[in-house]
């Protein structure tokens, strides 16, 4: 295994740029909405303007007569989607929105009509002419404010050791923490082009994190063989979890294309991104935490209530961090969902854990001031050497090294334990830190590796790259095994017709698909070595061997294993810690992030450049969570009011200082042959607390309801 | 969006004739109008493109600094005359929007931009400014960004511009052409308060267009500052902004100009506060006192009460910067 790790890590190519970087910045990269099949028509959705009730009538007469309109689809006239069947047994909740299927309105902005026209502008105009009348019912969009609200999706509380033991500790605190609804808001809007190639044959260009899962869901909905559906997602302009499932607009476009017998393109508007493709749920949390005078944790009780929709449950794990991050003998967790008239939430980068880490890592910081122990030291005192939940050894954990690297780099020694003690040029200066963890998953994937006559290697698999640089990392893995320069390797992906790969999600792609690339390349190389006999050579001349043996090419298709044994034996986690230095203006409450050091312990780093980008990107997402992001609903109407990029703030360049991304970069010898774990989620997890803790250190003001806007600090 | 006619006018007179017809709007940079059209907030039948008219010049005239209505925000912000004579205007411009928007936006368009009140933008919501008589969504709604001065029971929207706050402070005048010829308006009189007619943002009459603005010479170049407090460091509208200009001689304030943004339906000039500073020394105490005076008549709503505290703090801070105390 050690041997394998050494070979798998390319050294010369550490600084390699993205293989698709040039295509992306020159506009050559084609995203879902950019294809132009002949006869393309344009769909625009009209949404409900009430949050609960039924549609009694929809006047489409004016829209139908508008110039260029090909069809106006509503639940009154929509052809049935064959796979859209109501569950036979009545369940408590209706299940996912079946678009144009019935007259029930579950949330404000729910699609009620689609106009298809020969140009986008005409479709947009005609959609504005669609007028619905409703039988309005009283809605509820108000978020949870305590644990008594909501229903526990997993039944009972989870109790390790003694319940609520923190209450008996000499040093203790109990506080409430709130994160508002956040929206993924990738720069690329959700978009689909659907083109029927026959009665039961379909090509779809789609923004998706999984071409094959999308293919299967579409095939099921339209009751056609999965083999007849091709889903193409060559480039994805960010997704962060919002494209892990098939949403109503995708079904609508496919339905519309069938109806008008033309390919249909449907691009969501920015305001639809708030209602129709999921979000990070508003979550209320309460943490009780107690410690002895020497900082040993006695107990943690972590309660959380997240919002979900009235028609579908979405549950995640905000309380997981409290179970796993520290060696604490007594941990009680309680999680509930509150059903509201909103669209169903979904996974958003660092799902659950990012929410939970804000609460836990803030509480730990508050505790550090009580017990008067440095926050880093407090974490080291409670360092978990084995998984506290099940006693399993970690497959690898160097979080203590990450703490040290981060503390050294930020200049932690300059931090003063008392809050509000440091001033510079009229600004208050504060230091903060916060960390997190996320399960290091590994799935199975299939890769086809083809050595072609000219000595170039083609790798094929259906996986998508939503931005982390998957293709780049895969090429680096292959380059090292095959002994080929990166420019002789082509990685083909983003097409459901390619060999099987799971969705890009849960930080599992590098570990999963990377493992398959590793296996396929290793096997292919062995094939060549066998061909030349005598044990072969370390660096075969592939083109020459093929030519000598009169072969047009040589290929292998390999399915990587799940590695279930190792996954059972070890607790596999990736770890992060973020350090920040912030400046707060005492009079105006303006917060400036002055320096960020993020450290990842995610096994061996495959691609230095893209890993750095990913860690920085996640940390910036955490800055947004800490200081800006807040999707606001006017509860009188149950409708989002800041559903655009001018009013829903994410950080811009001016908000971001020099970001430092550090890696422990030690292989996990159990997860896969490369020793690499994913790092998408951990890049964000813990960052919001690192900022909030620094703001407290600067000002003495503890903000427990995000975002930390200037008005909360004056 | 509704299909519309697009015409290019070849002269000011042509523009005036065109916009005298109902349903016609001028388009210059289009940074606001196109958004409004896409969202269905406004649906003109006809757009008159004026971008090729000779209204871009920035030069000295007998009345001060003349800035053409079509001068780009980015060009004005970097113009040597502006930077030298009225750095406050350059600072305000650079605090506005984003570089990309400033490269398209014109001075006249900046003055004509509509409020960013989210109820105004969402056609499913009530808004007296967009659809008179439908009510104000912001009163009793999400009004964190809204006005604390000069509001009415019909509207509590704010004017979003930074540039206009500086021009209001600098005693600028607006040169307007219309069917009856040219006229001049004090910049502070250009925009209006909502009153009973929030659908009207300003005092331009039908058929009138902005030709230019003029800033009289002053002694403020040395001691001026534009401070914008916002939720992020760029591309965010002001929670509160302050344009502060002082004429300090021998350690005593001889003249002062102050205007606020993000607090009213128009740039909010603080004449009383200016007067109170005359003859005073530029000290932190004097500035804090003056700032409190600015808050007379302020009225907060559910989510914007913080502005009652933030506004005076920002005034005092801007004055400190202007006078060199910071």
């Amino acid at each position: 295994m050690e041997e394998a790790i050494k070979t798998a890590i390319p050294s010369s190519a550490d600084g390699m740029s993205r293989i698709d970087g040039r295509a992306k910045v020159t506009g050559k990269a084609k995203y879902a909405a950019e294809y132009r099949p002949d006869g393309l028509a344009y769909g625009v959705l009209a949404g409900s303007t009430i949050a609960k009730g039924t549609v009694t009538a929809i006047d489409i007469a004016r829209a139908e007569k508008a110039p260029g309109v090909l069809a106006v689809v509503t639940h009154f006239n929509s052809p049935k989607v064959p796979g859209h069947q109501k569950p036979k047994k009545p369940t408590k909740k209706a299940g996912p929105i079946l678009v144009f299927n019935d007259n029930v309105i579950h949330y404000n902005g729910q699609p009620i009509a689609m106009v298809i026209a020969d140009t986008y502008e005409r479709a947009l105009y005609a959609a504005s002419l669609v007028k619905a009348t409703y039988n309005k019912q009283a809605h509820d969009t108000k978020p949870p404010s305590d644990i008594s609200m909501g229903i526990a999706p997993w039944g009972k509380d989870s109790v390790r050791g003694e319940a609520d033991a923190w209450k008996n500790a000499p040093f203790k605190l109990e506080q409430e923490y709130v994160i508002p609804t956040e929206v993924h808001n990738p720069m690329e809007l959700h978009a689909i082009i659907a083109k029927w190639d026959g009665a039961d044959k379909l090509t779809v260009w789609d923004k998706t994190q999984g071409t094959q899962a999308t293919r299967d869901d579409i095939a099921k909905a339209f009751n056609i063989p999965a083999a007849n559906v091709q889903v193409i997602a060559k480039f994805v302009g960010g997704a962060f979890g919002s494209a892990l499932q098939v949403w109503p607009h995708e079904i609508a476009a496919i339905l519309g294309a069938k109806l008008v017998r033309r390919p249909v393109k449907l691009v969501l508007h920015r305001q639809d991104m708030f209602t129709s493709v999921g979000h990070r749920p508003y979550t209320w949390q309460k943490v009780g935490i107690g410690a002895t005078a020497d900082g040993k944790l006695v107990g943690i009780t972590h309660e959380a209530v997240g919002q979900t929709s009235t028609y579908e449950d979405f549950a995640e794990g905000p309380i997981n961090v409290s179970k796993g991050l520290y060696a604490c003998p007594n941990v009680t967790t309680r999680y509930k969902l509150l059903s509201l008239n909103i669209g169903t939430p979904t996974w958003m980068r660092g799902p659950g854990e990012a929410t939970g880490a804000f609460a836990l890592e803030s509480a730990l910081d508050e505790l550090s001031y009580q017990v008067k122990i440095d926050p880093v030291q407090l974490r080291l005192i409670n360092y978990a050497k084995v998984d506290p939940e099940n006693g399993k050894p970690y497959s690898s954990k160097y979080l203590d090294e990450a703490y040290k690297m981060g503390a050294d780099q930020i200049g932690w020694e300059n931090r003063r334990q008392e809050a509000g003690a440091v001033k510079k040029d009229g600004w208050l200066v504060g230091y903060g830190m916060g960390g997190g963890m996320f399960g290091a998953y590994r799935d199975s994937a299939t890769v086809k590796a083809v050595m072609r006559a000219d000595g170039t290697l083609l790798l094929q698999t259906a996986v998508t790259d939503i931005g982390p640089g998957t293709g780049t990392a895969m090429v680096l893995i292959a380059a090292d095994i095959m002994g080929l320069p990166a420019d002789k390797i082509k990685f083909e992906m983003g097409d459901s017709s390619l060999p099987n790969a799971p969705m890009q999600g849960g930080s599992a792609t590098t570990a999963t698909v990377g493992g398959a690339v590793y296996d396929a390349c290793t096997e292919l190389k062995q094939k060549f070595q066998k061909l030349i006999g005598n044990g072969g050579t370390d660096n075969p001349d592939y083109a020459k061997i093929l030519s000598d043996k009169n072969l047009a090419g040589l290929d292998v298709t390999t399915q990587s294993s799940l590695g279930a044994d190792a996954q059972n034996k070890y607790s596999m986690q990736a770890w992060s810690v973020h350090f920040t230095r912030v400046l707060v203006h005492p009079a105006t409450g303006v917060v400036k992030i002055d320096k960020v050091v993020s450290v990842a312990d995610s096994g061996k780093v495959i691609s230095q450049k893209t890993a750095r980008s990913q860690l920085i990107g996640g940390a910036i997402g955490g800055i947004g969570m800490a200081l800006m992001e807040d999707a606001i609903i006017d509860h009188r109407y149950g409708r989002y009011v800041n559903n655009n990029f001018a009013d829903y703030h994410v950080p811009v360049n001016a908000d971001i200082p020099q970001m430092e991304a550090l890696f422990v970069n030690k292989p996990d010898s159990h997860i896969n042959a490369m020793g690499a774990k994913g790092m998408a989620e951990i890049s964000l997890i813990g960052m919001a607390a690192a900022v909030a803790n620094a703001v407290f250190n600067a000002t003495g003001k503890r903000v427990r309801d995000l975002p930390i806007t200037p008005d909360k600090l004056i | 969006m509704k299909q519309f006619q697009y015409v290019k006018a070849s002269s000011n007179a042509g523009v005036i004739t065109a916009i005298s017809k109902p349903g016609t709007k001028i388009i210059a940079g289009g940074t606001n109008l196109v958004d409004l059209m896409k969202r269905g907030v406004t649906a003109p039948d006809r757009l008159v493109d004026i971008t090729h008219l000779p209204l871009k010049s920035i030069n000295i005239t007998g009345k001060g600094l003349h800035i053409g209505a079509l001068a780009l925000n980015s060009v004005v912000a970097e113009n040597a005359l502006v930077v030298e004579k009225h750095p406050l205007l350059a600072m305000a411009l650079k605090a506005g929007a984003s570089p990309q928007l400033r490269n398209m936006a014109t001075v006249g368009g900046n003055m004509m931009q509509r409020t960013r009140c989210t109820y105004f933008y969402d056609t499913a919501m009530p808004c007296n400014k967009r659809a008179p008589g439908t009510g104000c969504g912001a009163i009793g709604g999400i009004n964190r960004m809204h006005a604390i001065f000069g509001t009415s029971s019909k509207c509590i929207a704010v004017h979003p511009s930074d540039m206009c706050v500086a021009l209001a402070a600098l005693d600028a005048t607006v040169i307007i052409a219309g069917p009856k010829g040219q006229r001049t308006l004090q910049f502070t009189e250009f925009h209006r308060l909502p009153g009973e007619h929030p659908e009207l943002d300003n005092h331009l009459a039908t058929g009138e267009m902005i030709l230019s603005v003029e800033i009289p010479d002053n002694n403020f170049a040395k001691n001026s500052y534009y401070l914008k407090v916002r939720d992020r460091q760029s591309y965010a509208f002001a929670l509160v902004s302050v344009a502060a200009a002082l004429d300090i001689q021998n350690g005593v304030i001889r003249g002062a100009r102050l205007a606020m943004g993000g607090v009213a339906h128009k740039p909010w000039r603080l004449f009383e506060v200016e007067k109170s500073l005359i003859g005073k020394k530029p000290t932190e105490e004097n500035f804090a006192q003056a700032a409190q005076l600015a808050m007379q008549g302020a009225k907060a709503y559910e989510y914007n009460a913080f502005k009652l505290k933030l506004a005076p703090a920002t005034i005092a801070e801007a004055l400190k910067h202007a006078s060199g105390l910071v």
Side-chain angles (χ1 to χ4, degrees):
Chain A
M1 190 61 79
E2 283 301 314
E3 192 61 25
I5 287 161
K6 254 187 244 158
T7 30
I9 304 314
S11 47
S12 58
D14 270 356
M16 192 174 91
S17 295
R18 278 172 195 271
I19 54 169
D20 51 5
R22 179 175 287 268
K24 282 184 168 174
V25 299
T26 56
K28 288 209 172 97
K30 262 178 137 179
Y31 294 82
E34 298 185 301
Y35 290 83
R36 293 280 178 280
D38 285 346
L40 185 62
Y42 300 81
V44 168
L45 294 172
S48 72
T49 55
I50 65 162
K52 189 184 181 185
T54 51
V55 178
T56 52
I58 302 181
D59 180 1
I60 58 171
R62 280 184 70 206
E64 279 183 322
K65 281 185 207 132
V69 170
L70 303 169
V72 182
V73 185
T74 72
H75 77 272
F76 288 108
N77 65 4
S78 173
K80 286 293 161 212
V81 177
H84 271 184
Q85 283 154 2
K86 284 276 169 195
K88 287 196 181 114
K89 281 185 196 161
T91 51
K92 224 167 172 199
K93 289 197 170 182
I97 297 282
L98 307 178
V99 70
F100 310 137
N101 189 72
D102 60 29
N103 65 347
V104 184
I105 298 300
H106 302 276
Y107 64 89
N108 207 320
Q110 183 182 324
I112 56 166
M114 172 175 58
V115 174
I116 303 171
D118 57 354
T119 72
Y120 165 71
E121 288 77 9
R122 286 171 147 182
L124 181 62
Y125 173 62
S128 75
L129 302 176
V130 172
K131 298 290 173 220
T133 47
Y134 305 95
N135 183 6
K136 202 174 154 187
Q137 293 165 21
H139 61 260
D140 189 5
T141 53
K142 275 218 176 106
S145 57
D146 68 66
I147 196 76
S148 69
M149 306 171 92
I151 291 161
W154 301 313
K156 288 189 298 184
D157 299 352
S158 156
V159 180
R160 181 166 89 221
E162 186 192 330
D164 297 331
W166 68 272
K167 289 178 178 168
N168 306 321
F171 294 88
K172 62 192 166 197
L173 61 100
E174 185 178 40
Q175 290 294 350
E176 294 176 21
Y177 304 88
V178 170
I179 70 142
T181 296
E182 290 180 7
V183 181
H184 306 72
N185 265 327
M187 203 180 299
E188 183 202 19
L189 297 159
H190 279 246
I192 179 170
I193 295 173
K195 174 173 164 274
W196 287 90
D197 305 310
D200 64 350
K201 205 166 176 312
L202 181 66
T203 304
V204 159
W205 292 268
D206 194 20
K207 179 192 182 85
T208 175
Q209 292 176 241
T211 56
Q212 291 174 329
T214 296
R215 172 198 67 193
D216 294 347
D217 284 356
I218 290 170
K220 211 170 142 198
F222 288 89
N223 200 17
I224 54 178
N228 289 7
V229 180
Q230 187 182 9
V231 176
I232 298 163
K234 288 286 172 190
F235 290 91
V236 180
F240 312 112
S242 65
L244 284 168
Q245 60 196 287
V246 172
W247 298 102
H249 73 272
E250 290 159 288
I251 299 296
I254 298 167
L255 187 78
K258 188 147 212 176
L259 190 71
V260 301
R261 297 169 183 278
R262 283 169 71 161
V264 167
K265 169 156 102 174
L266 199 158
V267 183
L268 289 187
H269 295 135
R270 184 57 66 183
Q271 52 269 37
D272 303 323
M273 302 289 282
F274 287 70
T275 54
S276 301
V277 288
H279 59 268
R280 191 194 300 281
Y282 179 111
T283 304
W284 172 94
Q285 299 177 83
K286 191 197 268 180
V287 175
I289 190 165
T292 59
D294 56 2
K296 265 276 179 215
L297 287 175
V298 172
I300 302 171
T301 294
H302 189 160
E303 303 175 319
V305 197
Q307 60 174 17
T308 189
S309 69
T310 53
Y311 56 92
E312 206 179 4
D313 278 348
F314 170 77
E316 57 181 11
I319 53 193
N320 291 350
V321 283
S322 287
K323 291 183 188 174
L325 198 49
Y326 299 109
C328 177
N330 307 300
V331 175
T332 305
T333 60
R334 199 167 291 140
Y335 178 57
K336 288 186 178 176
L337 296 177
L338 184 69
S339 302
L340 298 170
N341 291 110
I342 53 167
T344 310
T346 192
W347 314 107
M348 180 164 159
R349 196 173 193 179
E353 274 79 349
T355 301
F358 166 62
L360 177 68
E361 291 290 81
S362 292
L364 218 74
D365 196 68
E366 299 200 43
L367 186 66
S368 78
Y369 286 90
Q370 265 199 32
V371 296
K372 297 193 170 62
I373 294 174
D374 176 273
V376 176
Q377 190 55 33
L378 184 62
R379 283 162 175 84
L380 288 171
I381 290 168
N382 294 287
Y383 196 73
K385 293 203 171 82
V386 295
D387 189 321
E389 209 41 20
N390 51 32
K392 283 184 191 177
Y394 292 116
S395 54
S396 77
K397 180 180 181 183
Y398 304 100
L399 182 57
D400 48 352
E401 290 184 36
Y403 288 150
K404 184 165 182 346
M405 289 166 73
D408 288 350
Q409 194 64 27
I410 196 85
W412 192 250
E413 72 276 8
N414 297 321
R415 175 186 181 271
R416 299 264 295 273
Q417 179 71 10
E418 70 267 46
V422 185
K423 265 194 186 174
K424 192 186 154 201
D425 303 331
W427 293 71
L428 297 162
V429 184
Y431 290 81
M433 55 89 62
M437 59 187 286
F438 199 80
Y441 302 109
R442 173 184 167 188
D443 204 337
S444 169
T446 304
V447 166
K448 184 176 183 185
V450 188
M451 183 58 72
R452 298 178 287 199
D454 61 357
T456 61
L457 178 71
L458 174 67
L459 298 165
Q460 295 179 311
T461 184
V463 74
T464 58
D465 179 356
I466 60 173
T470 299
T472 309
M474 297 306 118
V475 165
L476 284 169
I477 292 170
D480 195 64
I481 297 168
M482 301 300 289
L484 282 173
D487 62 2
K488 294 242 189 266
I489 302 170
K490 186 175 169 12
F491 186 72
E492 196 187 343
M493 64 175 160
D495 186 329
S496 63
S497 62
L498 295 171
N500 293 348
M503 292 198 273
Q504 181 156 67
S507 303
T509 304
T510 301
T512 303
V513 181
V517 167
Y518 184 95
D519 291 350
C521 290
T522 306
E523 227 177 278
L524 184 61
K525 188 173 179 180
Q526 284 165 357
K527 243 182 170 175
F528 273 95
Q529 285 166 333
K530 246 187 210 161
L531 271 182
I532 43 178
N534 293 334
T537 150
D538 255 5
N539 288 306
D541 182 342
Y542 302 107
K544 187 171 179 301
I545 298 167
L546 288 174
S547 161
D548 289 352
K549 302 282 173 186
N550 209 14
L551 291 168
L554 207 54
D555 64 76
V556 298
T557 300
T558 308
Q559 184 180 0
S560 66
S561 79
L562 261 173
D565 283 354
Q567 296 206 48
N568 286 333
K569 203 165 149 194
Y570 296 100
S571 172
M572 294 184 174
Q573 314 288 339
W575 315 89
S576 65
V577 61
H578 303 274
F579 288 84
T580 66
R581 185 171 68 216
V582 306
L583 306 175
V584 182
H585 194 274
T588 59
V590 169
V591 177
K592 280 188 191 170
I593 308 284
D594 194 40
K595 187 173 180 180
V596 171
V597 179
S598 293
V599 195
D601 171 22
S602 57
K604 192 71 196 172
V605 173
I606 301 288
S607 164
Q608 288 286 347
K609 256 194 175 179
T610 55
R612 180 176 182 276
S613 295
Q614 192 171 29
L615 188 48
I616 289 171
I620 292 171
I623 292 173
M625 180 187 237
L627 300 181
M628 297 165 203
E629 295 192 55
D630 183 4
I632 302 166
I633 288 178
D634 182 332
H635 296 300
R636 297 172 304 167
Y637 305 98
R639 192 170 169 89
Y640 285 102
V641 292
N642 61 340
N643 49 4
N644 61 74
F645 262 158
D647 296 313
Y648 181 90
H649 289 171
V650 296
V652 295
N653 280 330
D655 297 300
I656 301 305
Q658 187 64 36
M659 309 278 292
E660 308 215 21
L662 306 179
F663 300 93
V664 176
N665 202 11
K666 289 190 175 172
D668 178 333
S669 55
H670 301 293
I671 190 161
N672 53 35
M674 301 91 60
K677 302 176 190 178
M679 48 174 290
E681 327 292 340
I682 53 164
S683 301
L684 195 152
I685 296 167
M687 184 61 187
V691 174
N693 294 342
V695 167
F696 179 80
N697 187 240
T699 63
K701 283 180 182 142
R702 179 68 64 180
V703 180
R704 302 184 185 90
D705 57 328
L706 296 180
I708 308 169
T709 44
D711 47 304
K712 293 178 184 170
L713 295 174
I714 57 168
Chain B
M1 63 178 78
K2 192 172 83 173
Q3 297 213 2
F4 58 88
Q5 219 191 337
Y6 168 88
V7 291
K8 265 188 168 181
S10 51
S11 66
N12 294 353
V15 177
I16 291 162
T17 308
I19 60 174
S20 296
K21 285 183 204 152
T24 307
K25 278 191 187 298
I26 288 175
I27 184 161
T31 58
N32 187 209
L33 181 60
V34 174
D35 273 355
L36 294 168
M37 289 169 67
K38 284 200 230 169
R39 293 290 300 268
V41 177
T42 184
D45 300 313
R46 193 156 65 136
L47 292 183
V48 188
D49 184 349
I50 62 165
T51 48
H52 55 289
L53 295 181
L55 297 171
K56 294 189 176 80
S57 61
I58 304 171
N59 54 287
I60 306 277
T61 69
K63 288 173 184 165
L65 185 67
H66 164 105
I67 303 172
L70 286 175
L72 297 177
N73 284 190
S74 52
V75 170
V76 179
E78 299 294 341
N79 180 276
L81 289 170
V82 173
V83 172
E84 181 207 324
K85 296 173 94 63
H86 307 292
L88 181 63
L89 176 60
M91 277 189 262
L93 279 162
K94 286 181 182 174
S98 65
Q100 294 91 330
L101 289 167
R102 296 197 293 270
N103 283 338
M104 287 299 290
T106 64
V107 166
N110 189 319
M111 292 164 64
M112 295 300 290
Q113 67 180 309
R114 311 298 308 271
T115 183
R116 307 302 160 128
C117 172
T118 55
Y119 297 91
F120 175 70
Y121 266 77
D122 185 349
T123 54
M125 291 287 202
C127 173
N128 287 324
K129 184 180 277 294
R130 185 189 65 247
T134 54
C136 173
I139 298 174
I142 306 298
N143 45 37
R144 181 171 175 268
M145 300 300 291
H146 289 72
I148 52 172
F149 291 111
T151 55
S152 77
S153 62
K154 296 272 163 63
C155 180
I156 60 170
V158 297
H159 193 264
S161 171
D162 293 297
M163 179 196 82
C164 292
V165 179
L167 288 173
L170 292 169
D171 299 321
T173 53
V174 187
I175 318 300
I176 294 162
K180 294 174 194 159
Q182 278 193 23
R183 68 181 179 118
T184 303
L185 206 54
Q186 282 297 309
F187 197 93
T188 48
E189 296 303 314
F190 180 82
H191 295 100
R192 56 188 299 287
L193 291 176
E196 290 300 302
H197 290 284
E199 71 276 13
L200 302 173
D201 293 347
N202 56 55
H203 290 291
L204 274 191
T206 305
E208 285 190 322
M209 66 184 287
I210 303 165
L211 296 182
S212 62
V213 293
E214 278 174 358
I215 311 172
D217 287 342
N218 60 46
N219 290 323
F220 301 129
K222 245 185 15 196
N223 292 106
S224 56
Y225 197 78
Y226 188 76
L227 179 59
K228 181 178 184 181
V229 180
R230 46 186 152 173
D231 287 325
R232 65 178 166 193
Q233 296 307 304
S234 179
Y235 192 51
F237 295 102
L239 297 169
V240 170
S241 69
V242 172
L246 295 172
D247 175 5
I248 303 172
Q249 286 173 30
N250 303 321
V252 177
I253 296 168
R254 296 293 173 202
R257 297 289 183 275
L258 278 167
M260 267 197 280
V263 295
H265 198 260
K266 60 186 283 188
W268 195 247
R269 180 81 181 257
L270 301 168
F271 293 105
E272 290 302 311
V273 186
E274 292 168 8
K275 271 188 223 153
S276 81
L277 285 166
I278 308 289
K280 298 257 173 69
K281 287 190 169 146
T283 65
E284 206 165 331
E285 297 70 39
N286 286 336
F287 291 154
Q289 225 167 42
Q292 282 312 321
L293 194 61
M295 300 312 292
Q296 284 177 4
K299 180 186 171 189
Y301 296 81
E302 187 175 357
Y303 295 101
N304 69 355
F306 71 93
K307 290 190 181 183
L308 300 180
K309 202 170 167 193
L310 182 60
T314 309
I315 293 169
E317 196 64 23
L319 285 167
K320 277 160 67 182
H321 277 278
S323 61
L325 289 184
V326 176

